[in-house]
Amino acid sequence: MRKLMFAALAATALASCGSEEPTPEPTQDPARQYMQAVTDISRSDDQQYDAKRKPAELLAFAQIGKGEVVGDYIMGGGYVTRLLSTAVGADGKVYAFQPAEFIEFRPEYAEEQDAAIAPYTNDQGEPVRVFPLRGPIAEPGWPEPLDTIITVMNLHDLFIPEMPDGTAQKAIANLYDSLKPGGTLVVVDHVAKDGGGTDAAENLHRMDPELALKALTDAGFVLEEESDLYAQPGDPHEANVFDDAIRGNTDQFAWRMRKPE
């Protein structure tokens, strides 16, 4: 009994000694540093989508820094463009690219690009900090090397049959070449079932992760980190992303691809 009591007392004493060590500070959530970008007044109409699109977490995953030069590849209505415009700060630049093929298919894309850029122009109507780009989907015409490119829910569009043969390979090679050494490409897209291939891109607007990863790594990219930020385990990966039953609740992968130094 004495031995058991002594052992218990010794354990208590050791635990007491350990408790005198300073308690580590809790790790700060990296997303918190981007709250200014999330709450910026220019995004008042976007905030209704924030609960699902998680803008602060996306910027943290992309590791966007002040003063960086970044690209929004296939900008759509400008949701990511507006986020980036504040995240890069006064000394940064955002190039917002709208493909000519998209504008030809739906002219409103041009109007939406103009509207997204308008708040970032000077008295003469010249772009300041946020610059619009239009051109072929495989040749955005980035005017300078970029630190980061983000493309959200659009990688699959490179693989649809409406695009000329070789579009995906050419476009991804262009993204790679347009980044600075060590730069990153952040890709978010709807997940297709394994082996979905280009059929999933055409019919479901989803991206087969295996096909995507091969295309990106063949171009030279290295997968640096994968996030479950937009994971939806209940998505069967078989429905068109615009179906009412799944729209807004699709399972999406999020990758940060690095161009080696």
Side-chain angles (χ1 to χ4, degrees):
M1 179 67 71
R2 286 177 177 270
K3 290 182 179 180
L4 290 174
M5 290 179 61
F6 179 80
L9 289 171
T12 302
L14 287 171
S16 176
C17 290
S19 66
E20 294 177 2
E21 296 180 2
T23 303
E25 292 291 330
T27 303
Q28 185 177 2
D29 181 0
R32 289 182 61 84
Q33 65 181 300
Y34 296 103
M35 292 312 297
Q36 181 181 357
V38 173
T39 59
D40 189 86
I41 192 171
S42 68
R43 299 192 64 256
S44 57
D45 292 338
D46 291 335
Q47 290 168 1
Q48 60 183 308
Y49 307 111
D50 287 354
K52 291 183 177 179
R53 299 195 66 172
K54 303 179 182 181
E57 292 84 351
L58 174 62
L59 291 173
F61 180 66
Q63 300 179 335
I64 302 300
K66 297 290 186 182
E68 289 191 339
V69 181
V70 301
D72 183 4
Y73 180 67
I74 310 183
M75 63 174 289
Y79 181 95
V80 173
T81 296
R82 286 183 285 273
L83 272 177
L84 293 172
S85 68
T86 302
V88 301
D91 296 326
K93 293 180 184 177
V94 179
Y95 291 103
F97 172 68
Q98 201 79 296
E101 292 89 343
F102 278 37
I103 295 172
E104 182 178 357
F105 172 74
R106 178 178 172 271
E108 289 83 357
Y109 277 122
E111 300 169 11
E112 291 167 359
Q113 183 184 37
D114 292 340
I117 300 300
Y120 311 102
T121 57
N122 59 22
D123 292 340
Q124 289 73 46
E126 300 166 332
V128 177
R129 198 167 79 244
V130 181
F131 303 88
L133 297 177
R134 294 179 189 174
I137 196 169
E139 300 176 22
W142 313 107
E144 59 182 306
L146 306 174
D147 295 292
T148 299
I149 299 171
I150 298 182
T151 185
V152 176
M153 293 182 282
N154 284 118
L155 186 71
H156 66 270
D157 288 311
L158 302 178
F159 294 86
I160 61 177
E162 288 82 0
M163 296 295 173
D165 289 345
T167 291
Q169 182 179 9
K170 292 175 184 176
I172 292 171
N174 180 279
L175 295 174
Y176 183 89
D177 293 340
S178 300
L179 287 166
K180 299 175 183 178
T184 54
L185 171 68
V186 174
V187 180
V188 178
D189 213 338
H190 310 279
V191 177
K193 65 180 181 180
D194 293 343
T198 57
D199 287 343
E202 177 186 6
N203 298 316
L204 304 179
H205 299 276
R206 292 177 179 268
M207 186 72 244
D208 180 343
E210 183 178 0
L211 176 61
L213 189 60
K214 184 178 188 308
L216 291 163
T217 54
D218 282 354
F221 284 108
V222 176
L223 177 59
E224 181 174 80
E225 186 172 349
E226 181 174 7
S227 172
D228 61 358
L229 184 60
Y230 302 110
Q232 292 281 0
D235 179 0
H237 302 159
E238 296 179 347
N240 186 298
V241 301
F242 297 112
D243 286 355
D244 290 340
I246 197 69
R247 188 168 188 172
N249 296 291
T250 58
D251 189 23
Q252 299 168 35
F253 64 81
W255 297 342
R256 188 172 66 245
M257 312 295 299
R258 180 77 63 180
K259 177 179 180 177
E261 297 276 358

